[in-house]
């Protein structure tokens, strides 16, 4: 498997964010293991890095990035529902699923397929009973630590 090329890498507490974009749209943001920053290669990558740093400094920062439309119609519905979860709040996979008349597992899969984490705050969807649930298609490892940090950063850590 080839390693993705990022137009910028932003360092964060305990992780990094890889930005992929073309001249006009963000095509993906990936959570990466902690690593050195990579200077932006394009004006849009520079703006994405600026906005990601602004969120890391202030969780109330509102993103305004051009995101390339992607995903299935169901995934887009889930991502729209997730984007509506306010800062400082969480919802369970079941709550989101009920609103969309679907199954919690399907919501979890859509969360895992989210190409724009932080901008579309899938970390705000948690397991029933106060558990974190999975994150970015993984049930453990450093990504759950990232989810825990993000929820703590937003003062919405369950439990």
């Amino acid at each position: 498997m080839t390693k993705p090329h990022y137009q910028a890498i932003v360092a964060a507490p305990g992780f990094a964010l890889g930005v992929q974009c073309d001249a006009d749209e963000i095509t993906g943001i990936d959570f990466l293991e902690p690593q050195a920053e990579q200077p932006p290669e394009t004006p849009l990558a520079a703006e994405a890095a600026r906005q990601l740093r602004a969120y890391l400094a202030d969780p109330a920062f509102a993103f305004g990035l051009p995101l390339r439309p992607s995903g299935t119609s169901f995934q887009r519905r889930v991502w729209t529902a997730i984007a509506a979860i306010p800062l400082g709040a969480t919802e369970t996979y079941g709550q989101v699923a009920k609103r969309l008349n679907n199954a919690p597992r399907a919501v979890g899969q859509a969360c895992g397929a989210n190409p724009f984490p932080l901008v579309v705050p899938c970390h705000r969807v948690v397991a029933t009973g106060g558990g974190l649930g999975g994150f970015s298609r993984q049930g453990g490892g450093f990504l759950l630590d990232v989810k825990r940090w993000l929820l703590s950063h937003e003062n919405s850590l369950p439990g």
Side-chain angles (χ1 to χ4, degrees):
M1 188 166 145
T2 61
K3 185 177 172 184
H5 177 75
Y6 297 105
Q7 282 65 51
I9 295 177
V10 175
F15 60 100
L17 297 158
V19 176
Q20 294 179 304
C21 62
D22 59 24
D24 301 313
E25 296 173 313
I26 303 297
T27 57
I29 299 171
D30 293 334
F31 288 110
L32 307 172
E33 296 278 352
Q35 60 189 276
E37 293 211 349
Q38 173 188 305
E41 297 176 358
T42 67
L44 181 55
E47 179 58 16
R50 183 193 72 77
Q51 290 192 31
L52 290 167
R53 283 189 198 97
Y55 167 82
L56 293 168
D58 176 7
F61 176 81
F63 287 99
L65 293 170
L67 306 177
R68 174 165 296 157
S70 62
T72 66
S73 62
F74 174 71
Q75 287 171 332
R76 289 191 302 273
R77 285 178 52 224
V78 171
W79 299 335
T80 298
I82 291 166
I85 300 170
L87 176 69
T90 59
E91 289 188 13
T92 66
Y93 295 98
Q95 288 170 316
V96 175
K98 186 174 183 179
R99 259 199 345 250
L100 298 175
N101 295 317
N102 213 293
R105 183 178 297 273
V107 168
Q109 289 170 341
C111 286
N114 173 12
F116 310 112
L118 297 188
V119 179
V120 177
C122 52
H123 59 274
R124 294 181 189 158
V125 183
V126 297
T128 301
L132 289 178
F135 191 51
S136 199
R137 291 193 174 150
Q138 297 202 14
F142 97 100
L143 288 173
L144 273 187
D145 291 337
V146 170
K147 183 173 185 172
R148 192 174 291 108
W149 185 88
L150 293 170
L151 292 171
S152 178
H153 182 56
E154 295 182 353
N155 293 313
S156 57
L157 196 60

